[in-house]
Amino acid sequence: DILKNTDGAIDIKSSLDNSEVEQRVSVNKDEAMKYGLTVAQVYQQISEKLKSETTSTTITSNSNDLAVVIKNNASETTIKDLKLLEIKGTKNNKDAKVKLNKIATITNATTPASINHKNQTRYMTVSASVDEDHNIGLISRDIQSKIDDYNTPNGYEVELTGENETINSTMKDLVLMILLAIVFIYLIMVAQFQSLLSPFIVMFTIPLAFTGGLLGLLVTRQILSVTSMLGFLILAGIVVNNGIVFVDYVNQLRLDGVDKRTALLETGRARIRPILMTAMTTILAMSTMALGVGMGSELSQGLSIVTIGGLLYATLLTLFIVPILYDIFHRREMKKIIIDDED
C-alpha cells in the first residue's frame, strides 16, 4: 500500500503474489500424547504415507549400479483417505492405532510458493520500478520516510534495499575517493611548491569547480547520479591545474624582485591565454558527450556536464579568487636564496 500511494512507483510486486493453496495438518499435542505420540512422529508417519517412491535396493548390470525404486499410489491419496489414516502409537503400554482426524485437523491454507531466509530470518520482498518521469533517489527518500512512520508488528522490521541501497553505497565510496584524491593533490603540490600555503590557495579552486558542476546539473535538469559523481572526481584533478599555473608564475615573478601587486596583475595578463586554452580544449572535447546523442549516452552525460560546468565556473573565478586569496595570505616578501660554492 505504501508503494501504491507513492508517485512514480510502478510494476509493484510481492513475493507472496505467487502463493499456493495447501492442505495444512495441525496436530493436537494433548490428544497425540494420549497415544504416546509427538508431533514429529505423527508427521513422519504421514510423510511415509505420502511418499510416492522408495529406493529398496541396488542391482548391478553391466558394471553399472541401478537403484530399484518401488512406486506406490500415494498420488491418488485424497483428503478423506488422509483423515482416516491410522497412526501407530501406544496406549496403556500396548500398541494402538488412532485415526489422524482424532488427533489432528486438516484445513486449506494459503502459503508462499517458497520461504526465503537471510541470516536465519524469514523475509519477503515487495518490489517496484520507477517510471521515466521520476528520480529513484527522490522516490526512495519518500518511501523511506513513509516506512519510518509505519508501525510494524512485534518481531517484524522493514528495510529499503535494491538499487537504492547500491547507489547509496557507491555514493559513499565515491565521496571517500574524492576526499582521498584531494589529500593526494595537496601533498603533491606541497612537494612542488615547497610550501604549505601556496597549495592551500590553489585548493580553493576545487570548491569553485564543485559549485560549477552542481550548477551545470541544475541548469540542464540532470540528477546527481553515480556517473555525475565521477565527474566531480575528475574535476578535483583537472581544475587545480589553472591555480598551479597562476600561483607558480606569481612566485617566479616575486623571486625575480617584482612586487606582489605587480606580479599578480602581470600573471593575470600573461597566463590568461594558456589557462583559457587548457580549459576550452577539455570543454570542447566533452561537449559531444554532454549533448547525449546516441544509445547509452545518458550514462556519461552527467559526467561530462559536471566537468564542463565545473571547468567553466572555476576557470572564470580562478582569475579573480586566486589573486585575492594570494594577496591575503602572502604577506611576507619572497627572496631568492643564493648559495656561494666558494663558501
Side-chain angles (χ1 to χ4, degrees):
D1 292 338
I2 289 176
L3 292 179
K4 288 179 180 178
N5 295 326
T6 303
D7 292 336
I10 57 175
D11 298 333
I12 301 170
K13 300 177 182 178
S14 169
S15 59
L16 298 182
D17 291 342
N18 297 325
S19 57
E20 299 175 350
V21 178
E22 68 177 8
Q23 282 68 46
R24 186 169 298 173
V25 179
S26 301
V27 179
N28 188 322
K29 295 181 181 180
D30 295 334
E31 293 296 327
M33 284 301 296
K34 292 179 181 180
Y35 294 88
L37 294 169
T38 63
V39 174
Q41 290 173 332
V42 174
Y43 284 152
Q44 185 178 5
Q45 294 189 45
I46 296 174
S47 176
E48 290 293 332
K49 174 64 177 177
L50 297 178
K51 188 182 296 184
S52 60
E53 296 181 358
T54 303
T55 302
S56 61
T57 186
T58 303
I59 62 174
T60 303
S61 176
N62 297 327
S63 300
N64 295 324
D65 292 335
L66 303 176
V68 178
V69 178
I70 300 175
K71 299 189 66 175
N72 56 31
N73 60 349
S75 58
E76 300 177 0
T77 302
T78 63
I79 298 297
K80 183 179 179 180
D81 296 334
L82 192 61
K83 290 180 179 181
L84 298 177
L85 174 65
E86 292 183 340
I87 305 297
K88 297 178 182 179
T90 59
K91 191 172 185 180
N92 299 326
N93 296 325
K94 295 181 180 180
D95 293 339
K97 294 182 179 180
V98 59
K99 293 181 180 180
L100 182 61
N101 59 358
K102 297 293 184 180
I103 60 174
T105 56
I106 302 176
T107 57
N108 292 334
T110 302
T111 184
S114 61
I115 298 176
N116 300 315
H117 290 82
K118 182 178 181 181
N119 297 329
Q120 299 182 351
T121 302
R122 292 186 182 185
Y123 75 92
M124 60 168 290
T125 304
V126 179
S127 61
S129 301
V130 180
D131 61 21
E132 297 179 354
D133 300 328
H134 291 79
N135 180 356
I136 185 173
L138 297 178
I139 289 183
S140 299
R141 190 184 308 168
D142 185 18
I143 294 174
Q144 185 63 60
S145 64
K146 294 179 179 179
I147 290 177
D148 294 338
D149 296 334
Y150 177 67
N151 295 323
T152 57
N154 292 332
Y156 289 80
E157 63 179 15
V158 182
E159 61 179 2
L160 191 62
T161 60
E163 186 176 351
N164 178 71
E165 182 182 30
T166 304
I167 291 175
N168 290 337
S169 176
T170 306
M171 285 290 191
K172 291 179 182 179
D173 293 341
L174 283 173
V175 170
L176 293 177
M177 291 170 61
I178 292 173
L179 293 176
L180 189 61
I182 292 174
V183 172
F184 285 155
I185 291 170
Y186 180 76
L187 294 177
I188 291 172
M189 288 191 295
V190 168
Q192 175 186 347
F193 287 110
Q194 298 294 315
S195 168
L196 296 175
L197 192 57
S198 295
F200 182 74
I201 296 173
V202 175
M203 295 298 288
F204 271 93
T205 58
I206 294 180
L208 297 177
F210 287 0
T211 304
L214 292 174
L215 289 175
L217 293 176
L218 182 63
V219 171
T220 57
R221 296 183 178 180
Q222 294 289 324
I223 62 174
L224 185 61
S225 61
V226 174
T227 53
S228 60
M229 286 294 292
L230 288 174
F232 289 107
L233 182 61
I234 294 173
L235 273 178
I238 295 178
V239 76
V240 294
N241 295 339
N242 298 335
I244 292 173
V245 170
F246 193 97
V247 173
D248 184 63
Y249 193 69
V250 174
N251 290 339
Q252 290 181 18
L253 292 178
R254 293 186 67 196
L255 290 174
D256 291 338
V258 181
D259 66 278
K260 181 172 63 175
R261 179 178 176 81
T262 303
L264 290 172
L265 294 175
E266 177 61 26
T267 301
R269 286 191 292 266
R271 287 292 177 259
I272 186 172
R273 180 177 294 179
I275 288 176
L276 291 177
M277 287 180 62
T278 54
M280 290 305 298
T281 52
T282 306
I283 292 171
L284 291 176
M286 305 197 75
S287 60
T288 54
M289 294 173 58
L291 294 176
V293 179
M295 184 179 298
S297 59
E298 62 275 0
L299 295 177
S300 58
Q301 191 174 17
L303 183 149
S304 57
I305 290 175
V306 167
T307 306
I308 291 174
L311 276 176
L312 278 174
Y313 192 80
T315 300
L316 295 177
L317 291 185
T318 294
L319 300 174
F320 298 95
I321 301 299
V322 172
I324 293 173
L325 293 175
Y326 190 97
D327 184 53
I328 292 174
F329 288 107
H330 281 278
R331 295 296 184 182
R332 297 180 181 180
E333 294 294 327
M334 298 181 66
K335 297 180 180 179
K336 283 186 177 181
I337 299 176
I338 301 176
I339 300 176
D340 192 350
D341 292 338
E342 296 180 358
D343 293 339

